[in-house]
């Protein structure tokens, strides 16, 4: 019996992921370690699929939780993995047994670390999130040493490196981080082996943030962290040819003719301006297609744009296909990504970007990608 075909699914381009990883690798230089950040279902792309595609370029993987680390190990059992988020004390022994690196971000967390744990200490430099402050740093380091932990790395996160072209604050954080490294060397009697601060924006813009390792997330998937980052990269002549790796697809469930003035969807919030055709799509906000796209979003049908009509439902939405000839049930629809026009039309292809969708719902491309429901199939193509 043939497997059930999905009605909504995500295609992930192996070639695009490998291309982006290679571009980033070359930008970082031969001495830098590349950590592919695959937390949050690899930014919506699927952990297993992404790891399979980039493990030849990335020797480390960054995750948010131990459960994600175990998913990586199924695909790449010899890889080095760092849990960037909190690890509950009850999970730490499993992390030690599986060789997974643990982040520690407070003196309290340091007190729960088991002997033999490989630790990367997160320090607070100005994000005001997780991280050990400079005042508590010596005490925390001594606690880790006393408990028999292996202090392998130290890291921080930048607070304002993506959303601006003025990187004064980021440079002040870098100064604080260097000071923390000096404190660590005095307490431990040796330099930290793997200091790291570089996210995608820092990795692409500022070589001085590289240290030993770069944690690259959004750019690995073919997206610039922000418009400001791209502007800064152009100014520094450090623009990479990134390729978006994800295409989100669904299928036309039904096509119906409707009269002018017919209300569409819940709340009667929008009506047909003229007689035409509506296509019903089996995808909604449960799938991660944001309700904020109601009446403003667009999808691709036969390579042409079709507007969302009325409110997006939990599992369905409707689009106006009046101007697209020949649409029928079973036609493939692109919610995010590219789609060619009808074969033989010679008119190229249409595209819906994560950045476009983010702009319509006042958010960022990160959220558009990561909120695609993780239960939807991810197919590596």
């Amino acid at each position: 019996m043939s497997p059930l075909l999905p009605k909504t699914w995500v295609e992930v381009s192996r070639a695009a992921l490998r291309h982006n990883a290679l571009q980033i690798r070359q930008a970082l230089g031969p001495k830098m370690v590349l950590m592919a950040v695959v937390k949050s279902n690899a930014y919506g792309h699927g952990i297993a699929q992404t790891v399979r595609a980039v493990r030849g370029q990335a020797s480390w993987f960054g995750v948010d939780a131990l459960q994600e680390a175990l998913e990586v190990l199924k695909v790449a059992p010899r890889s080095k993995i760092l849990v960037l988020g909190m690890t509950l004390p009850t999970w730490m022994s499993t992390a030690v047994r599986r060789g997974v690196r643990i982040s520690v971000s407070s003196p309290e967390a340091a007190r729960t670390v088991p002997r033999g744990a490989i630790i990367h200490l997160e320090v607070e430099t100005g994000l005001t999130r997780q991280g050990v402050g400079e005042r508590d740093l010596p005490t925390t380091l001594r606690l880790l040493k006393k408990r028999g932990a292996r202090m392998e790395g130290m890291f921080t996160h930048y607070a304002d490196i993506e959303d601006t072209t003025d990187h004064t604050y980021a440079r002040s954080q870098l100064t604080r981080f260097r000071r923390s490294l000096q404190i660590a060397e005095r307490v431990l009697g040796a330099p930290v082996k793997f200091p790291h601060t570089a996210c995608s924006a820092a990795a692409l813009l500022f070589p001085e943030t590289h240290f030993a390792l770069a944690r690259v997330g959004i750019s690995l998937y073919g997206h610039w962290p922000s418009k400001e980052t791209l502007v800064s990269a152009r100014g520094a002549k450090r623009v990479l040819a990134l390729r978006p790796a994800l295409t989100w697809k669904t299928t036309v469930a039904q096509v119906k003719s409707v009269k002018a003035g017919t209300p569409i969807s819940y709340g009667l919030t929008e009506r047909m301006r003229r007689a035409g055709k509506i296509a019903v799509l089996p995808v909604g906000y449960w799938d991660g297609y944001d309700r904020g796209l109601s009446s403003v979003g667009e999808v691709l049908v036969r390579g042409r744009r079709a507007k969302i009509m009325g409110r997006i439902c939990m599992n369905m939405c409707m689009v106006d296909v009046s101007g697209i000839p020949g649409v029928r049930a079973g036609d493939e629809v692109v919610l995010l990504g590219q789609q060619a026009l009808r074969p033989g039309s010679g008119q190229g292809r249409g595209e819906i970007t994560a950045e476009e969708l983010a702009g319509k719902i006042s958010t960022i491309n990160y959220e558009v990608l990561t909120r695609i429901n993780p239960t939807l199939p991810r197919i590596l193509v």
Side-chain angles (χ1 to χ4, degrees):
M1 183 179 294
S2 299
L4 291 173
L5 296 175
K7 59 185 180 181
T8 302
W9 69 99
V10 172
E11 293 179 2
V12 179
S13 168
R14 186 194 305 266
L17 287 174
R18 287 178 174 173
H19 167 84
N20 296 333
L22 183 59
Q23 288 268 300
I24 294 162
R25 258 256 60 85
Q26 291 172 342
L28 292 174
K31 295 183 179 179
M32 280 287 294
V33 173
L34 172 60
M35 175 188 289
V37 180
V38 295
K39 65 179 182 176
S40 303
N41 201 30
Y43 288 50
H45 293 67
I47 289 177
Q49 293 82 353
T50 300
V51 172
R52 287 191 182 100
V54 305
R55 59 187 170 187
Q57 296 296 332
S59 54
W60 288 58
F61 294 95
V63 298
D64 179 65
L66 184 60
Q67 294 90 329
E68 293 176 333
L70 298 180
E71 288 187 53
V72 175
L73 287 171
K74 291 177 184 177
V75 182
R78 293 186 178 87
S79 60
K80 295 182 175 70
I81 306 167
L82 172 61
V83 177
L84 294 161
M86 181 184 75
T87 300
L88 294 170
T90 51
W91 283 95
M92 285 190 177
S93 59
T94 301
V96 173
R97 188 171 69 253
R98 300 300 300 272
V100 174
R101 278 93 176 142
I102 301 171
S103 294
V104 168
S105 57
S106 69
E108 293 76 19
R111 293 187 182 95
T112 68
V113 168
R115 179 170 295 279
I118 307 173
I119 299 302
H120 284 232
L121 186 64
E122 184 174 6
V123 293
E124 172 64 75
T125 60
L127 180 58
T128 318
R129 203 175 65 174
Q130 285 193 146
V132 177
E134 199 171 302
R135 181 186 300 177
D136 292 326
L137 186 54
T139 301
T140 306
L141 289 164
R142 292 187 188 102
L143 269 171
L144 291 169
K145 193 173 181 180
K146 183 178 179 182
R147 294 190 65 83
R150 176 182 158 195
M151 179 67 185
E152 183 184 59
M154 181 179 286
F155 70 104
T156 195
H157 284 86
Y158 291 107
D160 196 31
I161 205 164
E162 295 181 0
D163 301 323
T164 181
T165 55
D166 178 0
H167 298 106
T168 304
Y169 192 80
R171 290 191 174 92
S172 71
Q173 286 190 261
L174 185 57
T175 298
R176 295 187 196 107
F177 182 73
R178 289 196 175 108
R179 196 160 59 229
S180 295
L181 285 176
Q182 292 171 353
I183 294 170
E185 185 171 353
R186 285 199 302 269
V187 173
L188 300 174
V192 175
K193 185 178 180 181
F194 284 106
H196 48 105
T197 73
C199 57
S200 287
L204 300 181
L205 295 177
F206 304 113
E208 63 268 33
T209 68
H210 288 181
F211 293 97
L213 182 153
R215 310 181 306 263
V216 178
I218 193 73
S219 294
L220 176 68
Y221 305 103
H223 299 268
W224 286 89
S226 65
K227 291 179 182 177
E228 292 82 0
T229 302
L230 180 55
V231 167
S232 297
R234 284 172 176 157
K237 297 182 179 179
R238 298 180 66 87
V239 176
L240 304 186
L242 300 176
R243 299 177 186 169
L246 182 149
T247 303
W248 186 7
K249 296 181 176 181
T250 190
T251 307
V252 173
Q254 182 181 3
V255 179
K256 55 173 62 178
S257 297
V258 290
K259 297 177 180 179
T262 301
I264 311 296
S265 196
Y266 291 119
L268 315 182
T269 57
E270 190 169 13
R271 296 173 183 267
M272 290 293 286
R273 293 185 179 180
R274 59 184 65 87
K277 289 186 177 181
I278 289 293
V280 181
L281 310 182
V283 63
Y285 56 80
W286 150 253
D287 302 283
Y289 197 69
D290 198 285
R291 193 169 181 265
L293 292 167
S294 299
S295 294
V296 296
E298 292 180 315
V299 304
L300 297 175
V301 184
R302 301 194 167 205
R304 298 174 65 178
R305 286 179 174 247
K307 178 184 170 297
I308 299 288
M309 293 294 292
R311 287 181 182 166
I312 292 168
C313 312
M314 187 180 294
N315 305 106
M316 298 182 208
C317 61
M318 281 64 75
V319 296
D320 186 351
V321 293
S322 303
I324 307 174
V327 178
R328 58 179 61 90
D331 280 357
E332 186 176 272
V333 177
V334 168
L335 306 168
L336 172 57
Q338 294 186 347
Q339 186 187 55
L341 290 163
R342 286 186 300 107
S345 67
Q347 298 181 43
R349 59 181 58 230
E351 183 175 16
I352 306 287
T353 67
E355 291 71 26
E356 175 188 336
L357 296 182
K360 288 182 176 180
I361 56 175
S362 301
T363 188
I364 54 177
N365 52 8
Y366 293 77
E367 184 176 2
V368 169
L369 295 167
T370 58
R371 287 186 63 194
I372 300 173
N373 193 313
T375 66
L376 298 181
R378 265 66 175 177
I379 303 169
L380 200 59
V381 297

